[in-house]
Amino acid sequence: MELTVVHGDITRQQVDAVVNAANRAMRGGGGVDGAIHAAGGPEVLADCVRRFPDGLSTGDAGWTTAGEMRARWVIHVVGPNHRAGETDRALLVSCYARALAVADELGAGSVAFPLVSAGIYGWPKDDAVAVAVETLRASPTQVEEARLVAYDAVTYEAIRQRLAR
């Protein structure tokens, strides 16, 4: 699998699936979650309600339509909320591994990932980058391209440097 980083907007990526850093309720929110729901339109929320009436557990993943986005699917993952005391690194690792497993089930060849839990959930950025790169490199998958999408230049540079190791 090719693992790359781009500086940009995850909702505008031309990939088979985009990964959403969702909350447990699966009803939209802020940050990446809000951007994906806004870009995808009401179909994304309607599919979340239909497919996940009770939401998703932390560390788990599931898919919906991508609605009006270029991607075909959204793979929703629920990252651990570090600020709320969810500090088990295995939950963050699980987000990336489960997202790849769901992508394999869907037959997605290309997937765009945000840096899960590193925003409002407060996971330390250096470790969030390490988990993303290590897990995506180590997980068996049929995905041909995993793309880490950094919204800001500082995050882009941190991921770029980690990929160069």
Side-chain angles (χ1 to χ4, degrees):
M1 175 183 65
E2 180 182 11
L3 180 56
T4 60
V5 61
V6 297
H7 181 194
D9 180 344
I10 197 164
T11 68
R12 296 180 178 269
Q13 300 301 304
Q14 290 189 288
V15 291
D16 295 326
V18 295
V19 174
N20 179 25
N23 58 49
R24 279 190 218 103
M26 299 286 295
R27 301 297 181 261
V32 171
D33 196 18
I36 284 175
H37 278 268
E43 285 181 65
V44 176
L45 178 58
D47 212 11
C48 281
V49 169
R50 197 169 34 251
R51 297 177 58 79
F52 308 102
D54 300 318
L56 269 177
S57 299
T58 302
D60 203 359
W63 66 273
T64 64
T65 179
E68 298 170 21
M69 284 187 287
R70 294 175 178 164
R72 183 169 177 190
W73 301 288
V74 174
I75 300 173
H76 304 267
V77 299
V78 180
N81 187 337
H82 197 276
R83 285 195 172 100
E86 293 179 328
T87 58
D88 183 354
R89 195 174 195 259
L91 291 171
L92 188 54
V93 168
S94 180
C95 288
Y96 291 97
R98 286 285 302 128
L100 287 175
V102 170
D104 285 344
E105 291 169 17
L106 294 169
S110 56
V111 182
F113 288 83
L115 199 55
V116 177
S117 290
I120 193 76
Y121 280 7
W123 201 274
K125 192 166 282 189
D126 287 347
D127 193 49
V129 170
V131 168
V133 172
E134 291 165 12
T135 307
L136 291 172
R137 281 184 170 157
S139 298
T141 183
Q142 298 301 307
V143 171
E144 295 165 11
E145 181 198 0
R147 183 182 304 171
L148 286 162
V149 181
Y151 189 71
D152 61 72
V154 171
T155 303
Y156 170 82
E157 188 57 28
I159 296 169
R160 189 194 66 73
Q161 287 181 12
R162 187 72 185 205
L163 286 174
R165 290 185 190 173

